[in-house]
Amino acid sequence: MDADHATNRVLHIRNIKDHEIVQVSLILEEAALWLKNMGRAMWNESQYSVNGIVSHYRIDDIYLGFVEDEAAVAMILQEEDPLLWPDVETGQSLFLHKLAVKRKHAKQGISGGMIGWAKELARSLGKSYLRLDCASDRPSLCGFYEKHGFVRVKNLLVLNKYPTALYEFPIP
């Protein structure tokens, strides 16, 4: 268990069980709809629906963070990302995707707790890096990851349409 230092609550993080994929989908959907309502659409339904998630990710790669027995935050950690990181040697990194927090738990340090936990997992697995991609045209999102020690290593235009920043955190 990890302490959520911002609120002194305990954040318990673990792989999901098969039936918890619905909770992951609901957290991602809530985040997607919130972003859309703010004029900053991110994920579409095929990216956060149960079917979309299970068709793109292994259950073993999906994690939930619980606060007081409530699923509060979700993330995906994979061992490879050949689409955006084709030159990275397999086994060298963990790749963080779809980090999302329930709105009622936003701004409480929970997402930072998930990142810290992912860094420790990468270290325990002997990885050299924790890597991620995010929208490069969202300064506050990029700043969030930079605040957590990630360094931007490349900018891309994904599908000739989506400005994307690639970030990495070297595991000491």
Side-chain angles (χ1 to χ4, degrees), residues 10 25 28 35 37 45 47 50 52 54 57-58 84 92 101 122 127 132 134 138 148 152 155-156 160 162:
V10 174
S25 175
L28 294 175
L35 287 166
N37 289 337
E45 186 175 349
Q47 295 170 302
V50 169
V54 297
Y57 303 102
R58 296 176 334 123
L84 295 179
Q92 181 187 53
V101 178
K127 305 298 181 188
L132 61 88
C134 71
R138 297 185 183 194
H148 288 282
R152 188 183 301 211
N155 290 312
L156 307 168
N160 294 318
Y162 302 107

Side-chain angles (χ1 to χ4, degrees), residues 50-67:
V50 169
N51 289 337
I53 296 168
V54 297
S55 69
H56 288 96
Y57 303 102
R58 296 176 334 123
I59 292 291
D60 291 345
D61 295 336
I62 305 172
Y63 296 83
L64 278 171
F66 294 85
V67 174

Side-chain angles (χ1 to χ4, degrees), residues 79-90 92-97 129-134 150-154 156 164-169:
E79 296 223 18
E80 57 185 356
D81 184 349
L83 178 66
L84 295 179
W85 298 85
D87 299 330
V88 171
E89 182 181 330
T90 301
Q92 181 187 53
S93 306
L94 279 183
F95 297 89
L96 185 135
H97 297 285
Y129 294 94
L130 179 61
R131 292 184 158 117
L132 61 88
D133 63 276
C134 71
F150 287 86
V151 176
R152 188 183 301 211
V153 294
K154 190 173 186 178
L156 307 168
T164 303
L166 301 184
Y167 280 92
E168 65 184 21
F169 178 86

